[in-house]
Each structure stands twice: as C-alpha cells, then as structure tokens.
Amino acid sequence: SDESSEDEAQIKWEEQQIKKAIKLSQETYDDASLHKSQPVKPKFDPSVSLPPVNLEIVKKRLTERITSLQDVHRAHQREYEKYMEDIESSKLTVQELEKSSDAALNYKFYRAMKTYVENLINCLNEKLKYINDLELAVHVLLQQRAMRILKRRQDELKNESAYVQHLTRGDDKPTNGGLEGDEKTQLLEMCEHRRTCRRQMREGSGEADHHEGMSSDDELTPTEVTEFQKSKDNVLEDSRKVFEDVHADFCDIRKILLKFQEWKEKFPDSYCDAYISFCLPKLLNPLIRVQLINWNPLEQNFTELEEMPWFRAIKEFSDAKNVSESKRDDDPDQEVLPRVIEKTILPKITAFVKSVWDPLSTSQTKNLVQLCSNIFEKQVLSKNECSRAKEDLMNMAVLRMKKSVEEDVFIPLYPKSTVEDKSSLCSKFQERQFWSAFKLLSNVLLWDGIVQEDLVRDLGLSKLLNRYLLLNLLNTPPGLDNIEKCNKVVACLPERWFQDLKSGSTLPELLNFCQHLLRCARTLHKNNHSDETKEVLLLLVKVKALHIVEDFIEEYKLEHLKSMI
C-alpha cells in the first residue's frame, strides 16, 4: 500500500508539471503574435536633412506621370477596341451558327437531290435508245418520201425532155434515154394529170399570178399517202409509250425544273458552283426530242417553238426571279433556253435541211426561212458569237441549194422557129423549165439576211440568173413575155442590195442582165413601143443601173423620162 500511494503522488506531480509547461508555451505564443500584429512605427529624426525641391522638378515628375498614364490609357483603349471587335465577331458567328443550325436538314436536302439526279440520269439513259430509234424512224419516213418525190421529178424531167426532143427531131426511133415502153408513157400521163388538177384548183381559188412550172409537183398518190400516214402513226403511238412507266417527276420537264429551282432558291451559291445551267440543256435533251418527234418545220401550219410545252417550261424557269441572296449578280439560268436551242433544235433543223428539205418548194423554203429568222433574231443564242450549230445549219443550207441548182435546173434551148408557137410542146416545156428555175431563184433569195450575202448572190445571180435564166431571156424576142420575166426577176431581188450603190452602177453580177434590158429597150423603142420601153427603163432604175438609163435617154433624146432617175 505504501508503494501504491507513492506511485499515485508521482503521477499527479507529473500531470501538474505538464499542465504548467503547456500554459507557459501558450502565453509565449500569444505574446509573439501580438508583437507581430503591431508594426513598429518609424521614428522621425529631425536631424536628417531632405533633398531640395523646386517647381521644375515637380512639373517634370508630374509630366512624366501624365505621359505614363496616357500610354497606359491608350493601351487600355486598344485593348478595349479589340475586345469590342471580338464581341462583334462573336455575334456574327452566333448568327451564322443559328442560321446553320439546321445542318441536318441541309444535308438531307443535298442527299435527296443527289439521289433524285442519279435516278433521273439512269432513267434517261435507259430510255435514250428508244428515243433514238423513234426519232430515226420518223426521219427515215420523211427522207424516203422526199427522195421518192425528187426521183420522180427528175425521171419525169428526163423522160419529157427526151420525148420533146424526139418530136422535134421527127425521128421514128426514140433517142437514147427516151421513152421505151408503156411505163414511161404512163409516168408522163400521170405528170400531166397532176398539172391539170393543180390548174383546176388554181382556177377555182382565183389564183391568177401563176405560171406552169412554178408548182413543186410533190403530190403523192392516195396509196402512198395512206402508207406514209400509217407508218408515221405507228411510230407516234410508240413514242407515247416511252415514258408511260415513268413517274411524272422524272419525265415532266416542268416538274424537273421545279426541283432545280428549289435548289437555286435555297442554296444559290452551291447551285451556281455546280454549273447546273450548263448541265440542264443536256439533261433535258431526250425529253425535248420526244416532244419533237412529230414536229416538221417544213410543213404548213407547223407548231411554233414558243407554243411547245418544253419551251414554255424552260422560259418560265429562266425568267423566275431568285429571291435568295447570292454572291453573284448575273443569273446563269438565262442561258439555259439559248443553249437548248443551240444543242437540240438547230441540229434537228440541220437534219431536215440535209435530207428532207426541197429547195424547189416555196412553201417549205418560206417555213424554213421564217423559223431560222425567228431563232436567230428573237431567240438570242448563246453568248458565244461563233455558234457551231448555226454555222453547220447555214453551211448545210448552202450545200443543199447548190445541189438543187446542179441537179434540178434544166432549161432547154430550141430554135426560135420551134418555140414561136406558144401552144407547141417545145414552147410549153421550155416555159415550164424557165419558171421552175425562176422559182428556185426566188427561194434562194429568201435566205438573204440569214445566209451570207456573197453566198446568196453567188448562188442566185452568178449560177442561176446568168447561167440559166439569162440564156432563155436572150433567146426570147423582146415583148410582153420577156418584160414579164424580167419584171419577176427584178421583183425578187432584195432591195437592200442596192441601197449603198452610189456610183450609178449596178451589182457586178447584174451587168449582163442590164445589157439584156438595154437591148430590149432599144428594140422596143425602134418599134415605137413607148410604154414598154419606159417599163424596161424603170427596171434598170430599180437595179441602180443609172448610167445606162442616162446614156439611153441622151442617145434617143427622151428628155421627158429624166424624171424617173
């Protein structure tokens, strides 16, 4: 027990010592913290002297301080402006992001458009073979009909010429190439029958200003007409079935263009970047050709281009105003219609000119000239001045007319004693051939203003007038018939050829014709035909052969006729 009490006393003593030590350390820490929290105030020593201060030093230091503050202000100002620009840029970025927030919709549109175009191209590629076959079938029908008429006309001309030559020579045996057998005799009888029918129709319609030989003689027999129409109807029926299994969105030009118009309105810049206006003419080519299968510009009352559905659809598409904002000021879709005409219409017309057109047919020539004039004047072609399609068309027209001059013109020359009797076969045949050649001359001159003037003058004046017509005029005695022929020739000459002639001389190609008129005037004046003489002089005035008229008036002292110059 003594030992345990000593242990307890020892433990209490240790605890008291520990408490004292903790209390002492705490007081020491508190004194140190208080000492730190109260800074020591510096004591001012009045014995220390300050540096001297004057006004200049103060001013200098204030100036330096202001300059430093101004530099800092400018730096802050620049930083502020930069921050404002960043804010504006951020606002624009936010707006653009808000606009393009429908990126998923844009992607969906482009994806759908890509699929549509691919399906459209696949559809047209599949149908292209059928379209080519149908187009070729109709063209072959028209070409065969034209060749049949041309061959019949040339055969009849050859047979009739041989027959008249045979009668003129008075031989019992026909000449080589003449009539041999009933077949050729029947051809002549059929030709004369057609002439009689046309004459009766003209008399019934009151058409007076017509001469034998000015008809195209392109009538077909009822059997030929029926066969041709039946074959053509079969092709047209097949053409109506080409797109019968195709949805309207892939064969209706108007609906196809609406798809691209939607693209143009939503995304005009990407529309232009994709050069859609260059692709559309080729894309629409098969669909337009299907609508043109039954189109024949050489026939009377043919459908004008402006009246066709495809033309109106493309015209509306090209004229549609783009309401969306675009970086481009010009509208490339304005070139779609001209390119369609250049790439699709002109080649088709060229094919007609090459294989179907008959230059001896006035109605066909007028229709063709009217169509070309309408295309070249009203429908402005592509901005490319050197249109290859237009050049091909004009070259083909010139080649076809040259071929007609070489193969279709034939004016026989008989002794004057043979043709004095106007009722004789020789006279009638010669007259028909003259008026046939004259009709070709007038048809050639219709191309003035479309074909180059030098080519028209070469074909019409150098080849037709001087080589064929003038020989017949020289072989015809001066009189009413000769004057009428000369009148017709002068009347069909384009007036603009003589507008810039100021030297008193006519065109070089008309010099021989003017000399013939001068000989006629002299002969008529000697025979005291004053009215006919005046009429011939008026013809010379119309072709601007004024020197010839002046010399004639002075030679024969016809002062009263000076007023006509």
Side-chain angles (χ1 to χ4, degrees), residues 45 131 162-163 188 212 270 317 331 352 399 445 532 539 553:
D45 188 3
I131 296 173
Y163 179 65
L188 291 177
E212 291 289 343
S270 67
F317 172 76
D331 186 3
F352 273 101
L399 288 176
L445 297 182
E532 289 79 1
L539 294 179
I553 292 176

Side-chain angles (χ1 to χ4, degrees), residues 263-400:
W263 182 0
K264 180 181 179 181
E265 292 173 354
K266 288 185 176 180
F267 311 102
D269 291 330
S270 67
Y271 176 88
C272 294
D273 292 338
Y275 295 99
I276 300 300
S277 59
F278 288 91
C279 302
L280 283 176
K282 187 174 182 179
L283 188 69
L284 301 177
N285 176 275
L287 300 171
I288 296 174
R289 287 164 55 195
V290 170
Q291 297 187 26
L292 293 175
I293 285 180
N294 193 32
W295 182 64
N296 186 354
L298 304 178
E299 293 179 347
Q300 291 287 359
N301 303 320
F302 70 93
T303 305
E304 296 287 347
L305 294 177
E306 293 84 351
E307 300 174 3
M308 294 186 176
W310 65 266
F311 188 97
R312 294 197 297 267
I314 298 177
K315 185 69 173 175
E316 292 173 4
F317 172 76
S318 300
D319 294 341
K321 300 300 181 182
N322 185 14
V323 296
S324 302
E325 295 183 359
S326 176
K327 300 177 183 178
R328 297 168 174 81
D329 298 330
D330 59 333
D331 186 3
D333 287 341
Q334 295 292 332
E335 290 290 307
V336 173
L337 185 57
R339 288 195 180 97
V340 166
I341 293 176
E342 186 173 353
K343 302 298 183 183
T344 303
I345 306 302
L346 292 186
K348 188 173 184 68
I349 298 175
T350 303
F352 273 101
V353 171
K354 180 180 180 181
S355 306
V356 184
W357 174 45
D358 181 10
L360 273 175
S361 173
T362 301
S363 61
Q364 290 186 13
T365 304
K366 285 183 177 180
N367 292 335
L368 189 58
V369 169
Q370 178 186 356
L371 176 64
C372 293
S373 177
N374 181 38
I375 291 176
F376 298 152
E377 294 178 7
K378 295 182 182 179
Q379 303 298 334
V380 180
L381 296 180
S382 178
K383 293 181 180 179
N384 183 11
E385 296 180 0
C386 301
S387 172
R388 180 64 180 272
K390 180 181 178 181
E391 290 181 3
D392 292 343
L393 174 57
M394 296 297 97
N395 293 336
M396 184 54 63
V398 172
L399 288 176
R400 188 66 190 87

Side-chain angles (χ1 to χ4, degrees), residues 163-177:
Y163 179 65
V164 173
Q165 185 70 20
H166 169 61
L167 293 180
T168 304
R169 295 177 59 176
D171 296 338
D172 294 334
K173 297 181 180 180
T175 58
N176 293 334

Side-chain angles (χ1 to χ4, degrees), residues 135-147:
E135 195 176 43
L136 179 61
V138 171
H139 191 75
V140 168
L141 284 175
L142 296 173
Q143 183 179 3
Q144 289 176 348
R145 184 179 66 172
M147 294 299 295

Side-chain angles (χ1 to χ4, degrees), residues 145-158 160 187-199 202 210-221 224 358 360-364 432-433 436 439:
R145 184 179 66 172
M147 294 299 295
R148 188 183 300 116
I149 293 173
L150 179 61
K151 185 177 184 306
R152 185 188 68 189
R153 184 170 61 208
Q154 292 177 348
D155 290 343
E156 289 174 350
L157 173 61
K158 180 180 178 181
E160 190 171 7
L187 289 175
L188 291 177
E189 291 176 352
M190 292 173 60
C191 180
E192 187 61 34
H193 175 69
R194 291 195 301 273
R195 288 197 196 104
T196 304
C197 292
R198 289 194 297 268
R199 190 183 307 113
R202 289 195 300 270
H210 187 89
H211 297 273
E212 291 289 343
M214 296 183 70
S215 299
S216 300
D217 192 19
D218 53 3
E219 295 88 354
L220 296 174
T221 63
E224 292 173 334
D358 181 10
L360 273 175
S361 173
T362 301
S363 61
Q364 290 186 13
R432 280 198 302 270
Q433 292 308 114
S436 177
K439 184 178 66 170

